[in-house]
Amino acid sequence: MTEINRRDFLRTGLALSAGSLVADAAEARPAAAARSSISSTALTMPTAHSEPRTRLLFDFGWKFHLGDPPGLDNLGSGDGLEAFSKTGAFAFATAGFDDATWRTLDLPHDWAVELPFVNDPALGSHGFKPLGRNYRDTSIGWYRRIFEVAASDQGRRFVLEFEGVFRGAMVFLNGCYLGRNDSGYVPFDFDVTHFLNYGGTNVIMVRVDAKYGDGWFYEGAGIYRHVWLTRTDLMHLGHFDSVVRCEVKSGHAHLSLLTRIENESAETRSARAHWRIFDAEGRLVAHAVTSEQSLRAGESGSFAAHATLSSPTLWSPEAPYLYSALVMVESEGHIRDGERVSFGVRTVVFDPDRGLLLNGRPTKIKGTCNHQDHAGVGSAVPDRVQEYRVGVLRSMGSNAVRTSHNMPAPALVEACDRAGMMMMCETRTMSTSPDGLHELEAMIKRYRNSPCVILWSMGNEEWALQSSPLGEQIVAAMIARSHELDPTRLCTAAVNGTYDKGVSLALDVLGFNYNLDAIDPYHAAHPKRRLVGSETASTLSTRGIYSTDPLRNWVSAYDVNQTNWSELAEQWWQFYAARDYLPGGFAWTGFDYRGEPTPYGWPSISSQFGIVDTCGYPKDNFHYYRACWGAEPVLHLFPHWNWQGRRGESIKVWVYSNLDEVELLLNGKSLGSKKVPPLGHLEWQVRYEPGTLEARGHGKGRTLLAKRETTGEAVAIRLTPDRAAIRADGEDVVIVRVEALDRAGRTVPTADIPIEFSVGGAGRFRGVGNGDPNCQESDQQPMRSLFNGLAQLIVQAGRAPGIITIGAKSGFYDGPPLPHTEITVEAVKVDPRPAVA
């Protein structure tokens, strides 16, 4: 396997064919003896059976219809009640159904982001999109896909897996009803082996009903995560049953290797599991083989082995080192199945006196809570955008995220594993009902190998349960099940205001939402309880705005705005940073998000809690956290210096820095120097004159300069892609920063010019945004107004290599037109993830 393919494989988590599995083990380069002792016989492998596992991406070439198609308002059954009485009776899920008027699209897909905004107060917390029982026509969507399965695949096992559908998914295949899933966040799958037409055409139909929500925030609508079709042998690994548990002692990592093998053949067969452990460079560093067991037809069994890593490289936010484990099923001398899982070696201890000890070192959680939507794409976030979002947070020094308030997408967890971003992984429903436990179990099984996960969260602010004995009972049972599935991690929940009864009593680590004045007294009364700031801050600000204006639904970007329950950025971080017993916390929120339009209602359509806006563009508080959390010297000066018509008026000027001293100058004249307070800010009142506002910071052996200049009017558009080349795999995206420049090439920080976009060549338009919490322009049309100088364009690669051409010009506005500008991005030929044709 080449190094680039190995990296791609580790990124995607795909399993390899048997031939590749054997080649991987046989050709792997053993590491130095100091790292592991492996005899040559360890590489002896049984003969491979051809292609025991193929995992195919099932995202491309779907048809979509918004609302019930004609004749399908009752699933095509008229007024009768017998629609589900006969298997195979749903004619719409067969090849004869006419879908000629349906729209063709690729997944992931969120149709809610395409809908108009509706001024209905009942929809406010969900982003004013017309979803719900009063909006049936826009709350139901149908997906259809035709595909073929080779006749030679008869006798194999096929599983259809959905990573996430919002919501109420009913799945049909070849006229047969497979089942239903109501949760919008939990993956679900169907064994479709007996429903397929081998050697012929197959038709899958998915009806999605988003009339009901799972939460109180924007949740989207549709098949908004990936779909997979996996083909295996009848002797195969259990789903998410391969586990690597690490115990670090005396410079060694002792690995407990657990998996489950299922025999779905018609006869008794013996089996055992082979494990191969690789380091991040692809070198074989350990191996193990389980004992052989006999499995009757239809029986499954657990298989355990052990291995040791000498002097392992530990995973941490500073050095997120990942190993991978290749587990293979051997039966009767053949490799029948195999998969690869990534893992990291690290220790996590929550100590009641010292906070979080990561690999034995006190480590502050510098975290943010985040919902899952992004500008332009809604909840259907491409994998690359997940990486981008994690990168934005890491760039301000953040080292942790909380997945508020649901099981996250696999691509997000994988991005956090790679980036060194710790995670508090939260389930959607605090319940021991069958559905509630299924959600919890699915989350833990899916992500228990991920080193980024440091806590499992049982839920958030369950008002009816928080203070009741019922809540304690439910959460105690959830935690007991969590520890059965994963004895290596502790459990928490986000609790607001009730800390001495109910849910709180059952928690391994008590999560405090806000309520700073309650934490010290609680710790004094319960000094042996482990605590964490599960939700903090809820500071309010609008990017690029420096005067709160309720008529425009704007909040100033200075750190002076909060709700009646929350804290300013400086308040909460100074509090947590000063207390060793507190491991840190998670600020609400990292990103602005659709829905919950606090502090205003209509026409605001998104929150203003974010440290960055919905595009990921930093607000000024971003630089406060960067100065406190990051290792690099920081000097951030604000506001901008474009105050036309305000000459002589006093302007509040702030500086965030982690240097020792800062001098402020206006047009070369010093306005004085000030010492930088720990974890605080500097402030001046400056009478406005056009020109140059400059800060000079000194400390840490360096001098930094920061400037704000009065710009001219906008005369040009600049497009800046996040990368010059992307993968031509139909999935990758380029994220383009859009800004207006004056004649000197400076960004105009107040520009609000409408921009029209064009995309040609080897890519396609994916979405737009600008971070304005009040902007009701479409995210799905190739035009967007700048908001305080910025907008964002997302362009997706096609599946063929070539040049993507991206153009922009100003739309109609009261000002001189800006000329067309154009950039190119290369879509590079790669080996894409295997996909259903």
Side-chain angles (χ1 to χ4, degrees):
M1 181 188 289
T2 65
E3 193 61 30
I4 179 115
N5 284 340
R6 185 180 301 281
R7 288 197 302 269
D8 290 344
F9 177 76
L10 293 175
R11 179 181 69 84
T12 60
L14 297 175
L16 300 178
S17 67
S20 297
L21 291 173
V22 176
D24 235 16
E27 297 174 6
R29 292 170 290 128
R35 298 178 60 90
S36 178
S37 56
I38 303 175
S39 66
S40 59
T41 57
L43 300 180
T44 302
M45 296 294 298
T47 304
H49 184 75
S50 63
E51 289 218 300
R53 173 174 292 232
T54 306
R55 194 166 189 240
L56 302 174
L57 186 65
F58 208 169
D59 283 357
F60 303 117
W62 288 74
K63 292 289 192 78
F64 174 72
H65 190 283
L66 180 60
D68 284 321
L72 294 191
D73 53 336
N74 287 316
L75 299 179
S77 62
D79 296 326
L81 302 176
E82 67 279 0
F84 295 91
S85 64
K86 300 293 183 182
T87 299
F90 291 100
F92 58 77
T94 61
F97 181 82
D98 183 7
D99 62 7
T101 62
W102 291 32
R103 168 183 161 200
T104 299
L105 53 74
D106 294 337
L107 306 177
H109 173 238
D110 173 8
W111 83 70
V113 77
E114 304 169 358
L115 299 176
F117 297 97
V118 176
N119 186 6
D120 179 346
L123 303 177
S125 70
H126 292 271
F128 291 108
K129 291 294 187 175
L131 297 172
R133 285 169 290 176
N134 293 331
Y135 301 94
R136 178 184 173 89
D137 289 346
T138 51
S139 299
I140 293 173
W142 288 75
Y143 295 84
R144 177 176 168 88
R145 179 68 154 81
I146 298 176
F147 63 104
E148 295 184 354
V149 177
S152 59
D153 282 326
Q154 185 85 44
R156 313 281 292 165
R157 174 179 177 267
F158 284 82
V159 173
L160 177 65
E161 179 188 350
F162 296 83
E163 287 187 359
V165 180
F166 199 88
R167 181 185 183 272
M170 301 177 69
V171 184
F172 305 83
L173 177 61
N174 292 335
C176 302
Y177 173 64
L178 297 182
R180 179 186 181 104
N181 184 77
D182 283 329
S183 171
Y185 300 101
V186 175
F188 59 99
D189 59 77
F190 301 101
D191 187 329
V192 297
T193 304
H194 303 301
F195 296 93
L196 292 172
N197 178 21
Y198 296 91
T201 298
N202 296 269
V203 178
I204 182 172
M205 292 274 279
V206 184
R207 180 184 186 270
V208 181
D209 187 344
K211 292 197 302 294
Y212 296 90
D214 280 352
W216 55 95
F217 38 85
Y218 179 89
E219 299 182 281
I223 307 178
Y224 73 98
R225 293 180 182 171
H226 295 304
V227 181
W228 302 90
L229 184 65
T230 301
R231 177 182 60 196
T232 69
D233 190 86
L234 296 180
M235 179 74 80
H236 60 86
L237 294 165
H239 196 39
F240 298 132
D241 283 330
S242 298
V243 184
V244 180
R245 292 177 182 155
C246 307
E247 183 180 13
V248 181
K249 285 184 177 181
S250 304
H252 294 74
H254 302 281
L255 308 182
S256 295
L257 308 170
L258 311 170
T259 195
R260 190 164 197 83
I261 298 175
E262 300 177 1
N263 178 15
E264 295 193 53
S265 72
E267 57 191 36
T268 298
R269 290 181 178 177
S270 61
R272 61 178 178 169
H274 292 258
W275 290 84
R276 297 291 182 266
I277 310 300
F278 299 91
D279 66 14
E281 291 72 42
R283 297 174 297 193
L284 183 64
V285 292
H287 73 280
V289 181
T290 70
S291 299
E292 190 171 69
Q293 296 183 40
S294 179
L295 298 177
R296 296 188 299 272
E299 187 180 22
S300 65
S302 297
F303 291 73
H306 298 275
T308 299
L309 299 179
S310 299
S311 303
T313 302
L314 302 184
W315 184 97
S316 69
E318 298 75 25
Y321 194 91
L322 293 174
Y323 291 87
S324 63
L326 185 64
V327 55
M328 296 162 284
V329 177
E330 178 203 349
S331 179
E332 299 173 351
H334 297 278
I335 295 297
R336 302 289 182 179
D337 193 15
E339 66 180 354
R340 186 187 291 261
V341 295
S342 66
F343 68 96
V345 178
R346 85 285 185 273
T347 63
V348 174
V349 174
F350 282 86
D351 185 272
D353 300 313
R354 303 175 65 194
L356 171 63
L357 304 179
L358 181 66
N359 299 327
R361 294 173 47 243
T363 302
K364 282 290 187 184
I365 294 173
K366 304 168 182 176
T368 64
C369 306
N370 291 282
H371 285 306
Q372 64 179 3
D373 61 289
H374 189 83
V377 296
S379 294
V381 180
D383 293 359
R384 167 56 194 155
V385 176
Q386 300 282 16
E387 292 180 341
Y388 165 83
R389 288 167 64 86
V390 172
V392 167
L393 298 174
R394 288 295 278 144
S395 70
M396 74 171 181
S398 177
N399 62 9
V401 293
R402 172 186 171 212
T403 66
S404 309
H405 302 288
N406 50 263
M407 178 178 176
L412 173 61
V413 181
E414 292 162 9
C416 289
D417 280 343
R418 294 191 299 271
M421 182 71 86
M422 297 181 291
M423 178 178 288
M424 173 176 160
C425 199
E426 187 161 285
T427 190
R428 172 74 292 278
T429 307
M430 185 180 285
S431 177
T432 50
S433 69
D435 286 346
L437 280 181
H438 173 68
E439 290 180 6
L440 178 68
E441 291 167 353
M443 179 181 76
I444 293 175
K445 289 185 69 175
R446 180 65 179 84
Y447 299 133
R448 57 189 167 179
N449 287 316
S450 294
C452 71
V453 178
I454 60 170
L455 280 171
W456 302 118
S457 173
M458 304 296 101
N460 174 73
E461 294 181 341
E462 292 285 346
W463 306 114
L465 296 181
Q466 266 190 182
S467 59
S468 74
L470 182 64
E472 181 183 3
Q473 293 173 194
I474 288 173
V475 170
M478 293 176 71
I479 291 176
R481 182 58 178 145
S482 300
H483 290 168
E484 289 175 6
L485 293 170
D486 178 21
T488 70
R489 291 177 178 87
L490 300 179
C491 298
T492 186
V495 180
N496 192 336
T498 307
Y499 305 112
D500 56 358
K501 55 185 175 180
V503 167
S504 298
L505 300 179
L507 300 174
D508 299 326
V509 180
L510 175 54
F512 271 81
N513 281 16
Y514 312 105
N515 295 293
L516 294 184
D517 57 352
I519 297 177
D520 280 341
Y522 185 89
H523 176 64
H526 307 86
K528 296 306 179 183
R529 287 223 65 183
R530 295 165 291 205
L531 311 178
V532 68
S534 47
E535 186 172 315
T536 64
S538 280
T539 309
L540 296 162
S541 62
T542 309
R543 177 181 57 77
I545 296 296
Y546 298 99
S547 179
T548 295
D549 186 346
L551 294 179
R552 296 186 178 184
N553 286 17
W554 287 346
V555 185
S556 79
Y558 301 106
D559 185 25
V560 297
N561 306 292
Q562 63 193 104
T563 67
N564 60 4
W565 73 81
S566 62
E567 305 105 25
L568 301 178
E570 292 186 26
Q571 288 175 337
W572 90 265
W573 183 246
Q574 289 174 5
F575 183 92
Y576 275 82
R579 289 158 173 80
D580 290 340
Y581 74 86
L582 290 175
F586 299 86
W588 189 270
T589 52
F591 281 74
D592 277 343
Y593 55 94
R594 289 171 172 80
E596 292 193 320
T598 312
Y600 307 110
W602 183 268
S604 295
I605 43 84
S606 69
S607 80
Q608 302 198 47
F609 291 120
I611 302 169
V612 302
D613 67 18
T614 54
C615 298
Y617 293 142
K619 303 179 187 181
D620 291 288
N621 269 349
F622 176 95
H623 301 282
Y624 169 73
Y625 289 109
R626 191 163 66 94
C628 296
W629 291 355
E632 296 299 316
V634 172
L635 180 66
H636 176 68
L637 170 68
F638 63 106
H640 62 72
W641 210 238
N642 280 26
W643 300 105
Q644 186 176 7
R646 296 187 61 180
R647 183 186 293 268
E649 293 185 23
S650 182
I651 303 294
K652 185 162 52 177
V653 174
W654 281 30
V655 169
Y656 287 135
S657 183
N658 52 15
L659 301 176
D660 299 329
E661 186 175 14
V662 176
E663 180 184 14
L664 188 69
L665 302 93
L666 177 59
N667 295 328
K669 181 181 178 180
S670 177
L671 302 180
S673 297
K674 295 185 179 184
K675 297 290 185 180
V676 177
L679 307 182
H681 73 278
L682 296 176
E683 185 174 343
W684 286 263
Q685 290 290 333
V686 180
R687 292 194 178 277
Y688 176 67
E689 294 178 9
T692 301
L693 184 71
E694 181 179 356
R696 297 177 181 173
H698 308 280
K700 299 187 176 181
R702 299 181 61 176
T703 296
L704 297 184
L705 302 179
K707 290 183 179 181
R708 296 292 184 180
E709 296 179 317
T710 306
T711 70
E713 66 178 13
V715 298
I717 302 167
R718 180 163 63 195
L719 303 176
T720 307
D722 69 320
R723 293 173 295 158
I726 62 176
R727 298 164 55 90
D729 59 2
E731 299 186 72
D732 203 0
V733 299
V734 60
I735 302 167
V736 183
R737 180 185 177 98
V738 185
E739 52 197 329
L741 308 179
D742 71 359
R743 294 190 184 281
R746 299 172 298 190
T747 300
V748 180
T750 56
D752 58 0
I753 299 166
I755 307 295
E756 297 178 356
F757 301 103
S758 60
V759 178
R764 65 181 180 88
F765 170 82
R766 188 71 173 82
V768 289
N770 62 10
D772 182 353
N774 308 303
C775 182
Q776 297 189 10
E777 298 171 15
S778 173
D779 286 46
Q780 289 289 291
Q781 294 297 321
M783 60 182 301
R784 191 71 162 197
S785 297
L786 300 176
F787 177 62
N788 290 326
L790 297 174
Q792 186 174 87
L793 169 67
I794 300 175
V795 174
Q796 192 154 42
R799 300 175 72 186
I803 299 299
I804 303 172
T805 303
I806 302 169
K809 64 178 182 178
S810 61
F812 179 79
Y813 78 109
D814 186 18
L818 307 188
H820 179 268
T821 189
E822 190 172 279
I823 62 170
T824 59
V825 173
E826 185 179 5
V828 179
K829 182 178 181 180
V830 295
D831 292 329
R833 299 200 274 198
V836 176

